[in-house]
Amino acid sequence: MKKWFTPALVATAFAAIVIAERKRPLRRRVEPESLRLRRNVAMGGLTAVITAALQKPLVDPVLRRTTERRLGLLNIVRLPRPIRFVAGVLLLDYTLWWWHWLNHVAPPLWRFHLVHHIDRDLDASTALRFHFGEMALAAFFRAAQVRFLGVDAEALAWWQRMLLVSILFHHSNIELTSDADAQLVRFIVTPRMHGIHHSDREEETQSNWSSLFTCWDMLHRTFVYGVPQESITIGVPAWKEPLTTGKLLAIPFEGQRDDWLGNA
């Protein structure tokens, strides 16, 4: 697969989703769009640079050694290539569920992940808004996934492509019909499902940790879906004021607030 394929796929998906959001918005906006978009794109650009800088030196050598020495769970027994591919994609996605959960329950990780959640609107640009520190830590986790699962390059590459498109889609502000969303959510994360995860109610945020396939939340009984979108306020209660990009970058290194103070 050509090196340009993944960037082109993500760019095309982002453009299509942004257009669809404007035609059929799911939620009313809270902040001025232009300022928020510039802030989120700036955060996303920095994150992309950090991810690109760490992916090759961290993940690629681990992937090469894992393949050459047949290390990891999937190399314990020889599997037919199609089964190995599907198993690799599913295991990568399942272990990411645990990583997302850990980012919410471990205070040192939440300090970084909080930056993503305090966006007061939710759309495709929110999918770009991750702190570079979180993405740096995620690169180490990705290397660990490859080593312990024993996935091959093809499964890793296709899972990452599907994941990137899924993240753009389920953060989007696209209003699907109720029937279409209800059918899709049986298999993949949808905008309505993920909107609940971005609620400013802590008990709703502590649900729906899946990033691609919804079966993991169903398995762990953390799947929540029946919350009306009009009852959801996006964000974190203690962070309602507009923040500059510099302030967002500084949050993990400053004194922490009681994020859920005043939570109804």
Side-chain angles (χ1 to χ4, degrees):
M1 189 69 67
K2 299 292 186 181
K3 290 184 178 180
W4 54 262
F5 179 76
T6 299
L9 174 66
V10 173
T12 301
F14 182 76
I17 288 169
V18 168
I19 292 170
E21 287 178 326
R22 281 156 174 72
K23 290 184 177 294
R24 289 184 59 90
L26 176 61
R27 292 169 292 265
R28 295 173 60 184
R29 294 188 180 276
V30 175
E31 292 191 38
E33 184 179 9
S34 59
L35 292 174
R36 206 181 129 268
L37 182 61
R38 288 200 296 269
R39 187 168 61 235
N40 288 357
V41 168
M43 293 288 292
L46 182 56
T47 293
V49 169
I50 296 298
T51 302
L54 290 176
Q55 176 88 10
K56 186 167 287 292
L58 280 177
V59 179
D60 288 4
V62 173
L63 180 61
R64 186 169 54 253
R65 287 196 300 273
T66 299
T67 302
E68 291 172 353
R69 301 177 187 178
R70 294 189 57 79
L71 303 172
L73 180 64
L74 291 174
N75 287 308
I76 293 175
V77 295
R78 290 189 176 274
L79 297 170
R81 187 177 181 85
I83 294 177
R84 177 185 171 83
F85 175 83
V86 171
V89 169
L90 291 174
L91 286 170
L92 284 164
D93 203 53
Y94 180 53
T95 49
L96 184 65
W97 184 95
W98 283 103
W99 174 249
H100 191 183
W101 171 83
L102 193 61
N103 273 269
H104 277 259
V105 302
L109 296 178
W110 171 247
R111 293 167 74 101
F112 290 99
H113 192 57
L114 170 68
V115 173
H116 175 66
H117 271 268
I118 61 178
D119 198 350
R120 297 177 64 208
D121 286 301
L122 189 63
D123 61 20
S125 75
T126 312
L128 310 176
R129 178 193 169 121
F130 287 93
H131 196 282
F132 71 87
E134 178 179 353
M135 292 298 99
L137 293 168
F140 285 94
F141 180 75
R142 186 62 39 80
Q145 284 179 291
V146 170
R147 168 59 182 83
F148 289 106
L149 297 177
V151 297
D152 58 25
E154 185 179 19
L156 178 64
W158 277 104
W159 173 70
Q160 287 180 315
R161 291 180 189 119
M162 291 188 292
L163 179 66
L164 289 170
V165 174
S166 175
I167 289 172
L168 288 170
F169 171 65
H170 67 238
H171 282 95
S172 74
N173 194 31
I174 298 174
E175 182 181 23
L176 304 175
T177 66
S178 297
D179 287 344
D181 199 288
Q183 290 299 318
L184 277 176
V185 82
R186 296 165 61 190
F187 306 101
I188 62 171
V189 184
T190 65
R192 289 178 186 271
M193 175 184 170
H194 201 68
I196 297 167
H197 178 71
H198 275 261
S199 166
D200 72 349
R201 291 177 175 268
E202 186 176 10
E203 66 274 14
E204 292 174 354
T205 301
Q206 305 299 335
S207 69
N208 296 350
W209 284 303
S210 296
S211 296
L212 176 55
F213 301 119
T214 53
C215 54
W216 316 127
D217 279 306
M218 295 175 183
L219 174 67
H220 290 282
R221 298 183 180 181
T222 53
F223 176 77
V224 176
Y225 187 65
V227 180
Q229 291 295 302
E230 58 271 17
S231 73
I232 296 172
T233 300
I234 301 298
V236 177
W239 299 87
K240 294 300 186 183
E241 73 276 19
L243 299 172
T244 64
T245 303
K247 177 64 176 175
L248 290 172
L249 293 173
I251 284 175
F253 311 106
E254 297 179 339
Q256 299 300 290
R257 304 178 184 180
D258 182 350
D259 297 323
W260 306 103
L261 183 66
N263 192 226

